[in-house]
Amino acid sequence: MTIHPVILWTDALIFALLAAVLVLVWLIRRQEHLRAPWRVVAQRPMAMGAALVLGVFVSIGLLDSLHYRAQLPDSPADAPQYSVEVLSVFDALVDGLRARQEKTYSAPLAMQLYAKEFVQRDGVTVRDSSRLQHGGAHLAQADARLPDITRRALAGAAQGALASLLVFAGLAVWQARRMQTSPGAWLAAWRGGRLDWPARTVVLMVATMLMLGGVMMQLAAGYHVFGTDKVGQDVLYISLKSIRTGLVIGTLTTLVTLPLAIGFGIAAGYFRGWVDDVIQYVYTVLNSIPGVLLIAAAVLIVQVYIESNPDIFDTAAARADIRLLALCLIMGVTSWTGLARLLRGESLKLRTLDYVEAARAFGVSNARIISRHIFPNVFHLVLIAIVLDFSGLVLAEAVLSYIGVGVDPAMYSWGNMINGARLELAREPVVWWQLGAAFAFMFTLVLAANLFADGVRDAFDPRLGGRR
Amino acid sequence: MKPLLEVRDLVTDIGPARVVDGVSFHVAAGETYALLGESGCGKSMTALSLMRLLPDGGRVSSGAVELGGENVLGLPERDMRRVRGGQMAMIFQEPMLALNPVIKVGEQIGEALALHQNLGGQAAREAARGLLDAVGVPDAVRRLDTYPFELSGGLRQRVMIAMALAGQPRLLIADEPTTALDVTIQAQVLDVLRRLKTERQMGMLLITHDLGVVAENADRVGVMYAGELVEEGGRDTFFASPQHPYSRMLFDALPRPGDGGRLTTIPGQVPPLDGSLVGCRFARRCPFAIARCRDESPDWQTINDQRVRCHLAGTLPARIEREVTAQTTARAAKALLQVEGLKVHFPIRRGLIQRTVGHVRAVDDVALSIQAGRTLALVGESGCGKTTVGKALLRLVEPTAGSIVLGGETITAKNASTLRRQAQMVFQDPFSSLNPRMRVADILLEGMDALGVGAAGERRDAVAQLLNRVGLPDDAGGRYPHAFSGGQRQRIAIARALAVSPRLVICDEPTSALDVSVQAQILNLLKDLQDSLGLAYLFITHNLSVVDYLAHDVAVMYLGRIVEHGAAVAVLRAPRHPYTLALVSAVPRIEAQTGPGIIRLAGDQPSPLNPPDGCHFNPRCPYASEVCRQTYPGQTDLGNGHWVRCHWVAGQV
């Protein structure tokens, strides 16, 4: 089966961002003063644990950004026709989750639908909840469910433990060879916490994640782990698909924010005078308009544009994607002011320092002073702002989608999940798993991002430099 | 008699570093004990250990501190609070940081009074007024209701002292109490401390790096090096014959009046305190070190009433007084820099439309001239506008009026690049004058690139030459500034200025942030560079002993104007202007004071926003007459290019 790769706008930007980050990493590795604080980050157990969790989220997001359209099975080979449904590599990996659709709501790990309905049983119409098509379909009896779940969970945990043991053994051998000791000696050092990186936390974290993953995989093969939603889709699948949306919002928005904040902030602080006045008026005005108003207006404009130009967007995914991009843009435009204000203050301070005066005494041009003296010395602030803002943006998306001005309703996102769960919370018995799953995923991502940001800030903030 | 404070084998650790290692000394009531040493030797940490106010991660590992027979280290924190302030009090270096900026002075003193003397309301106010009177704050009643920012540096430091006295302490710890102050103010504050000590029979622990301050104030002296006390003795014997090589080198590193020779420097720097230190800690920098010094830590040896930790104590050659090499005589040459009528006025804008309501006359009609290969020192207290003169010369601050002629060419905004190739600047603080994110080679290349000096291919070689010239290793170019010590950073800053081969270098207090031994290295370097490259220096400083050592001519500045100008020997040996007289006599000297008595100036320098009518100096001048209050004095020529602006001198001539 051939495929037709699809590159959505956000995909292109995400991979451009990834490339930029890789280039940055390469540059940082070469500069001692940039590498040193990162080494401090790498020595903090909390930051490293959080980084691992973030790593898993980012991998899922990246896999989910490689889009394609599959060839229709009955299309001719010489003029292939492709499905209108845009899939991603991640979809292919978890094909089972995507395909196993039920009729409507079902509770986590259930084998029946949540709602009761009239069913024909042995010629009699009774009111009962019918069996799911996929969830627990392999079981003959209802009372076999609990033992089956326990067995699967244990098997998954065992598989995870085995995998983590293998990984750990590999790590021990590799590290021992690198440090030119025996694996036994390395293990002793590991147990005593005498290594120069938080190896115990990392190993423990990897083991926990592998075991959790093992349990999930085992259970998901036979059940809907987080239940199903209104149209019977697996909530676990939706939650995982939402990761990409969250990451896109968190990262691409910063991409819009940074040039504005850095450019305006440094220009205002460095040049002062009328430049400072103009920039300050602009961001004071921008700050006094409610952000939600601007965002709603922008999203509606894009919506109208999409609807009046249907021929530009060949798939529903492309339409949702352009709306997501618009959301990132407008959120970026409304959120650069804080960082710009910070950078303005810092530049005001830096421009009076002796090394800037010395450069001016040589007649060095303003552009060069900014790029060589000011920017490198505010870069740590930019970095801290990026990681701190990330979690705020992920949460903002949820709020915006909830009030209906966020991403496209057809798009998988935690905000849409919460929005969808809103009405069902009022129903009896309550449908809680959609909200719960969105909450759990968002909580994990934001907590990891915040812990990581804490580590980054502690390492980069010169005011905290002395005490650790 | 039992001493007031007894410290025995005090050991303090901060993390892995042992910052104080086995220090023992005692202070009697009514006595001043001075702890002397370079920065990083553990002086302040000793004081903080006594107060039990160590920074995070610091702890007193062993030893005993007894204050009036009470073991301070054994007290629970509850009782310690009573001891702090009540039994021993501390004054800090930077009075602005030690006072709360949003609470009125009277309330801050009242807080201490309420805590230690249970005074409140009117009684506290009376007591606070009494304290301010005691520390010599004029107009004490009104000052009670001012905020710290309304007071000048000297007054703030006095308020700090008043607060410290509120608990009627028996021991006063003064940690570099005057380092941040100008000499005339320093003299006032030290007077107050001396008087209070005698009046109240307090013990005083004076921490300083300034031998002059020690000579004038201490009864006994302890020299610290790398966390250890290395020498101890009475002031007179210590100054007559310092025994430890380190103490001797501290003396030799000081520039002496009338001396034009090379200064003795102490090579290397204080060793890091976190490693294991074997043998004598000074051995690596000591010119007398023998094999034993490197293996065995010396024990205390007593010579007369001095104690010293040195294997060679008593056997060292007698101290040789350095030959006083006279300054090279004046060379008649054409002026390299000629400045006439330089004015820098900063507008003060107020209101909605930023209307100019007045001017701060930072520099007001200054004329200077420097000949090639010579040094002009510009001397004055902080805030007199001397740094602004330097910056205006380089057009870092746009001058309001005046002409600058450099090498025969009048400098305007258009040919500023000519100026930048011929004149460069070395800044005060080597920690803020080098970009921490740039490699040393890039820092040195910046000027050459910007001004297009030399062919691009040759610049790398030029960098190596420059590093060599200022005495830095060849591989320094690839490293970042943080890898260097303060003295080395200042060398980098000098190399940066030299990169474009200027003929004039403006040095803005280049040694005031450095230790004495490092200062000697930098001064030697500047002198060598002047000899080999024929540089002219404009040396901006408040340190008169440095001026004495380096300068050929001196200009004394007060409130934006030059009040006395002449050859260095003439101005410093026979000053004529009352301000210069006071400035020269206020410098604490190691040698016994000779000649006319010390002149103490009252009050502070007025604000340049609103200078007094007539002669600017008249409110502080002991010789002021009616004419001084009305007209600004003209120039009175005293011959040999020595002139002053003073009615009093004019009347004498």
Side-chain angles (χ1 to χ4, degrees):
Chain A
M1 189 176 87
T2 59
I3 55 163
H4 175 67
V6 176
I7 298 175
L8 299 174
W9 271 103
T10 49
D11 294 344
L13 288 171
I14 278 184
F15 285 104
L17 189 67
L18 185 69
V21 168
L22 289 178
V23 168
L24 205 66
V25 167
W26 180 72
L27 282 176
I28 285 172
R29 281 184 66 89
R30 290 181 39 197
Q31 307 246 340
E32 177 52 34
H33 68 88
L34 295 175
R35 209 168 55 175
W38 283 112
R39 211 176 287 136
V40 175
V41 175
Q43 280 162 3
R44 302 186 141 231
M46 198 72 105
M48 283 317 282
L52 280 173
V53 177
L54 280 182
V56 170
F57 274 83
V58 170
S59 323
I60 294 176
L62 285 178
L63 286 176
D64 204 8
S65 298
L66 294 163
H67 287 108
Y68 66 89
R69 283 160 70 183
Q71 195 178 1
L72 291 175
D74 47 357
S75 75
D78 49 339
Q81 292 202 317
Y82 297 99
S83 150
V84 291
E85 196 181 12
V86 177
L87 296 176
S88 73
V89 174
F90 179 72
D91 288 327
L93 286 179
V94 295
D95 199 36
L97 279 182
R98 188 173 64 87
R100 284 201 293 269
Q101 204 151 2
E102 305 293 342
K103 234 161 88 187
T104 178
Y105 288 118
S106 74
L109 299 175
M111 49 192 293
Q112 284 137 1
L113 280 176
Y114 196 54
K116 289 201 167 100
E117 54 188 5
F118 294 101
V119 283
Q120 293 276 332
R121 195 169 288 167
D122 307 330
V124 193
T125 305
V126 292
R127 190 173 151 75
D128 197 7
S129 41
S130 59
R131 284 289 295 266
L132 294 176
Q133 284 169 329
H134 305 284
H138 56 289
L139 300 175
Q141 292 292 322
D143 51 2
R145 190 173 73 102
L146 268 180
D148 184 55
I149 289 174
T150 319
R151 191 183 56 74
R152 280 170 183 266
L154 285 176
Q159 280 171 0
L162 193 69
S164 40
L165 267 181
L166 280 174
V167 169
F168 185 42
L171 179 82
V173 171
W174 172 55
Q175 283 286 318
R177 189 168 299 165
R178 226 191 61 173
M179 293 165 65
Q180 296 176 343
T181 53
S182 70
W186 186 86
L187 277 178
W190 174 81
R191 208 177 306 120
R194 290 192 302 274
L195 295 168
D196 55 354
W197 56 290
R200 282 191 293 192
T201 313
V202 169
V203 168
L204 213 70
M205 204 68 206
V206 170
T208 315
M209 286 197 296
L210 280 175
M211 280 164 72
L212 203 65
V215 173
M216 282 288 193
M217 267 161 64
Q218 280 291 334
L219 289 178
Y223 298 92
H224 300 291
V225 180
F226 284 128
T228 53
D229 75 348
K230 194 172 188 172
V231 291
Q233 256 192 326
D234 192 299
V235 173
L236 177 64
Y237 173 73
I238 300 176
S239 305
L240 289 171
K241 288 287 278 181
S242 300
I243 289 174
R244 176 177 180 273
T245 314
L247 290 177
V248 166
I249 297 265
T251 52
L252 289 192
T253 305
T254 347
L255 218 58
V256 181
T257 315
L258 283 189
L260 289 171
I262 294 173
F264 286 144
I266 292 182
Y270 180 76
F271 293 109
R272 304 213 339 221
W274 65 267
V275 180
D276 190 16
D277 287 346
V278 169
I279 292 172
Q280 278 201 67
Y281 284 134
V282 168
Y283 71 57
T284 321
V285 168
L286 203 59
N287 255 6
S288 55
I289 305 172
V292 174
L293 204 68
L294 280 180
I295 292 168
V299 166
L300 286 179
I301 291 168
V302 172
Q303 194 64 37
V304 169
Y305 176 77
I306 292 169
E307 272 158 24
S308 52
N309 298 286
D311 43 327
I312 304 178
F313 310 101
D314 46 358
T315 56
R319 276 193 292 277
D321 183 72
I322 210 74
R323 185 164 161 176
L324 177 65
L325 188 64
L327 185 68
C328 290
L329 279 175
I330 190 65
M331 276 172 76
V333 169
T334 53
S335 64
W336 59 271
T337 51
L339 181 59
R341 196 174 286 165
L342 193 70
L343 292 181
R344 173 180 171 268
E346 196 65 16
S347 310
L348 273 176
K349 194 186 87 190
L350 286 175
R351 76 188 292 277
T352 63
L353 285 189
D354 287 345
Y355 58 80
V356 178
E357 293 263 293
R360 284 174 56 210
F362 284 123
V364 178
S365 67
N366 285 332
R368 241 176 124 70
I369 289 182
I370 288 180
S371 65
R372 291 183 62 156
H373 294 289
I374 307 277
F375 179 68
N377 283 294
V378 297
F379 184 69
H380 67 280
L381 290 178
V382 175
L383 204 83
I384 293 167
I386 293 175
V387 278
L388 280 178
D389 283 355
F390 172 80
S391 49
L393 289 167
V394 173
L395 294 177
E397 183 275 324
V399 172
L400 289 174
S401 299
Y402 175 76
I403 58 173
V405 293
V407 297
D408 193 277
M411 190 148 208
Y412 298 117
S413 94
W414 293 315
N416 279 342
M417 282 171 75
I418 294 171
N419 194 19
R422 179 176 52 160
L423 294 174
E424 311 305 333
L425 282 178
R427 120 189 205 157
E428 180 62 34
V430 70
V431 175
W432 53 268
W433 47 89
Q434 243 177 319
L435 195 67
F439 171 77
F441 272 80
M442 212 150 65
F443 178 78
T444 315
L445 177 63
V446 170
L447 184 69
N450 280 347
L451 288 177
F452 186 68
D454 266 354
V456 171
R457 199 195 51 208
D458 287 357
F460 278 85
D461 199 334
R463 274 164 300 189
L464 300 169
R467 50 199 172 84
R468 267 194 284 128
Chain B
M1 196 189 95
K2 211 165 161 50
L4 173 67
L5 173 76
E6 172 108 50
V7 179
R8 281 193 305 273
D9 295 324
L10 184 72
V11 178
T12 303
D13 292 299
I14 295 183
R18 178 154 290 192
V19 290
V20 179
D21 196 358
V23 166
S24 309
F25 62 93
H26 60 89
V27 183
E31 180 190 53
T32 301
Y33 184 91
L35 270 184
L36 182 72
E38 292 179 281
S39 52
C41 281
K43 306 182 304 275
S44 293
M45 286 305 157
T46 307
L48 292 175
S49 306
L50 301 186
M51 295 285 276
R52 285 177 45 191
L53 287 174
L54 287 168
D56 288 349
R59 64 195 174 86
V60 177
S61 308
S62 67
V65 176
E66 279 182 17
L67 184 72
E70 189 176 20
N71 184 6
V72 171
L73 297 181
L75 289 176
E77 187 59 31
R78 263 178 71 91
D79 297 334
M80 195 58 214
R81 291 224 299 270
R82 176 180 51 78
V83 173
R84 282 184 209 126
Q87 301 279 326
M88 52 178 160
M90 190 157 176
I91 36 183
F92 299 90
Q93 178 172 350
E94 191 49 77
M96 197 62 216
L97 299 178
L99 291 172
N100 187 336
V102 296
I103 300 181
K104 284 178 186 161
V105 165
E107 286 173 43
Q108 295 196 48
I109 301 175
E111 207 173 21
L113 286 168
L115 207 62
H116 295 290
Q117 295 188 23
N118 265 327
L119 290 177
Q122 196 56 38
R125 210 177 148 76
E126 278 302 311
R129 192 189 56 76
L131 284 170
L132 286 185
D133 276 337
V135 295
V137 173
D139 203 3
V141 181
R142 198 171 56 81
R143 302 284 189 207
L144 285 176
D145 293 319
T146 54
Y147 289 96
F149 70 85
E150 296 176 79
L151 303 175
S152 65
L155 285 180
R156 273 184 222 137
Q157 193 60 294
R158 288 177 204 213
V159 170
M160 264 306 292
I161 298 173
M163 274 175 74
L165 292 179
Q168 296 178 323
R170 292 194 283 163
L171 176 74
L172 188 65
I173 301 174
D175 187 359
E176 305 266 11
T178 56
T179 308
L181 305 175
D182 281 312
V183 270
T184 57
I185 309 298
Q186 161 170 311
Q188 296 170 3
V189 170
L190 288 174
D191 273 348
V192 168
L193 285 176
R194 264 201 303 275
R195 187 167 49 76
L196 288 170
K197 181 200 71 176
T198 324
E199 279 175 13
R200 304 189 171 217
Q201 277 299 298
M202 284 189 301
M204 194 156 99
L205 181 63
L206 178 68
I207 293 169
T208 183
H209 66 276
D210 189 334
L211 278 168
V213 170
V214 175
E216 289 194 352
N217 295 279
D219 297 309
R220 290 191 307 121
V221 184
V223 181
M224 277 193 87
Y225 183 78
E228 281 180 337
L229 207 56
V230 293
E231 177 165 3
E232 196 184 53
R235 176 189 51 183
D236 296 335
T237 43
F238 175 73
F239 278 88
S241 62
Q243 294 296 332
H244 198 279
Y246 176 61
S247 323
R248 291 186 174 198
M249 293 176 90
L250 280 184
F251 276 97
D252 291 342
L254 278 183
R256 301 279 167 112
D259 183 3
R262 288 183 69 78
L263 296 169
T264 310
T265 60
I266 310 181
Q269 37 189 301
V270 182
L273 299 173
D274 44 0
S276 57
L277 297 161
V278 184
C280 173
R281 294 180 182 190
F282 190 58
R284 295 180 60 184
R285 302 172 74 185
C286 182
F288 304 106
I290 52 173
R292 188 176 166 208
C293 298
R294 293 193 183 84
D295 305 329
E296 194 184 329
S297 184
D299 225 337
W300 283 107
Q301 307 206 18
T302 310
I303 300 168
N304 303 329
D305 69 334
Q306 276 169 288
R307 293 197 305 152
V308 60
R309 287 181 76 161
C310 179
H311 290 305
L312 299 166
T315 62
L316 286 179
R319 234 172 114 233
I320 309 159
E321 273 301 322
R322 204 170 58 229
E323 285 292 311
V324 171
T325 322
Q327 297 274 13
T328 42
T329 43
R331 280 177 286 175
K334 217 167 143 268
L336 171 69
L337 174 78
Q338 188 80 41
V339 181
E340 296 290 344
L342 182 71
K343 289 183 186 177
V344 183
H345 293 182
F346 296 111
I348 305 163
R349 296 179 204 279
R350 291 244 172 81
L352 192 64
I353 52 166
Q354 299 285 293
R355 205 157 42 88
T356 305
V357 295
H359 285 96
V360 175
R361 293 157 184 256
V363 178
D364 204 11
D365 201 5
V366 161
L368 293 172
S369 99
I370 305 176
Q371 289 150 21
R374 285 173 66 87
T375 305
L376 171 71
L378 193 58
V379 182
E381 293 176 279
S382 52
C384 75
K386 53 189 195 302
T387 298
T388 313
V389 169
K391 291 193 171 166
L393 290 182
L394 282 179
R395 296 193 100 85
L396 292 176
V397 176
E398 208 50 40
T400 314
S403 76
I404 301 168
V405 179
L406 186 69
E409 196 175 347
T410 307
I411 302 297
T412 57
K414 287 194 196 80
N415 58 1
S417 73
T418 318
L419 166 81
R420 304 200 189 292
R421 291 217 37 181
Q422 301 218 14
Q424 274 304 321
M425 192 151 181
V426 175
F427 295 88
Q428 171 174 5
D429 183 1
F431 288 88
S432 73
S433 71
L434 301 177
N435 187 344
R437 308 280 189 229
M438 273 165 79
R439 284 201 189 92
V440 171
D442 294 329
I443 291 174
L444 299 184
L445 280 172
E446 182 165 50
M448 292 191 244
D449 288 344
L451 293 173
V453 177
E458 291 162 13
R459 287 182 193 152
R460 288 277 156 190
D461 298 335
V463 166
Q465 272 180 14
L466 280 169
L467 288 174
N468 197 0
R469 176 152 265 159
V470 297
L472 287 172
D474 290 340
D475 62 342
R479 285 189 269 164
Y480 287 93
H482 66 77
F484 297 93
S485 67
Q488 288 173 320
R489 281 161 168 251
Q490 199 60 294
R491 285 170 192 267
I492 297 170
I494 293 172
R496 171 175 61 188
L498 294 180
V500 295
S501 321
R503 293 161 69 191
L504 170 71
V505 177
I506 298 171
C507 302
D508 187 4
E509 310 247 15
T511 60
S512 65
L514 305 174
D515 277 319
V516 186
S517 66
V518 182
Q519 163 175 303
Q521 295 171 10
I522 297 296
L523 291 178
N524 281 340
L525 174 67
L526 287 173
K527 202 152 208 177
D528 292 345
L529 290 172
Q530 183 165 51
D531 291 342
S532 60
L533 301 175
L535 294 176
Y537 293 130
L538 175 65
F539 205 89
I540 299 168
T541 186
H542 66 273
N543 187 339
L544 287 180
S545 51
V546 171
V547 173
D548 224 344
Y549 174 73
L550 203 66
H552 302 96
D553 302 296
V554 176
V556 181
M557 205 166 165
Y558 188 76
L559 220 58
R561 297 191 181 186
I562 291 177
V563 295
E564 181 160 6
H565 183 285
V569 183
V571 174
L572 297 177
R573 290 294 162 284
R576 299 300 293 273
H577 196 283
Y579 177 63
T580 320
L581 276 170
L583 213 55
V584 170
S585 80
V587 178
R589 300 227 180 250
I590 302 167
E591 301 84 8
Q593 202 76 207
T594 52
I598 301 170
I599 303 165
R600 291 285 183 250
L601 282 185
D604 294 298
Q605 183 171 252
S607 155
L609 171 61
N610 189 14
D613 288 334
C615 174
H616 291 168
F617 189 58
N618 82 67
R620 298 173 79 189
C621 182
Y623 311 108
S625 61
E626 197 48 46
V627 63
C628 297
R629 288 183 197 99
Q630 281 160 6
T631 54
Y632 196 85
Q635 206 163 311
T636 308
D637 214 328
L638 299 167
N640 282 336
H642 189 177
W643 56 261
V644 291
R645 283 173 182 273
C646 179
H647 292 301
W648 178 64
V649 178
Q652 289 177 324
V653 170

